[in-house]
Amino acid sequence: VGAGTLERWREEAQSRPDRGRSWTAGARLEAVITTAAMNEAGKSAWCRERGVFPADLDKWRSSCTTALPDPEDARAAWDREACGADVPGFRSSAPWR
């Protein structure tokens, strides 16, 4: 293979959008949900059909779970919002405080 051919192939490959960037956040979440119950063979087939590597799905799954708040932190934040504790100068007259 000649140097000119290699240069042309490299330029063509670099001109294409990165596969990971072409998936929106919603599409990645949908892919994670869709493939969650699949076995490895099914997941690999799904990935081949869509041009995705199984490692990409693993990264997306990790990103999804990292983005979720810890249940205890989420409940504490909700409790603060519900009783107005985050509003400056607000004093709750609720009996549980």
Side-chain angles (χ1 to χ4, degrees):
V1 178
T5 303
L6 290 174
E7 279 293 320
R8 190 184 66 223
W9 289 348
R10 191 179 111 232
E11 288 175 14
E12 287 174 7
Q14 289 176 341
S15 69
R16 293 183 203 137
D18 185 19
R19 282 195 316 230
R21 292 188 191 138
S22 64
W23 286 71
T24 65
R28 288 185 299 227
L29 176 62
E30 187 175 333
V32 168
I33 292 169
T34 301
T35 59
M38 292 182 183
N39 61 19
E40 288 302 313
K43 197 178 298 183
S44 293
W46 187 93
C47 288
R48 277 192 307 276
E49 290 171 4
R50 287 158 182 83
V52 177
F53 289 104
D56 292 334
L57 282 177
D58 294 338
K59 287 180 200 173
W60 298 347
R61 183 177 298 108
S62 177
S63 294
C64 289
T65 56
T66 302
L68 295 172
D70 182 43
E72 290 300 317
D73 293 342
R75 181 174 173 86
W78 185 84
D79 287 345
R80 282 193 306 275
E81 286 179 22
C83 54
D86 288 341
V87 179
F90 181 82
R91 293 183 52 100
S92 175
S93 59
W96 61 86
R97 294 193 108 196

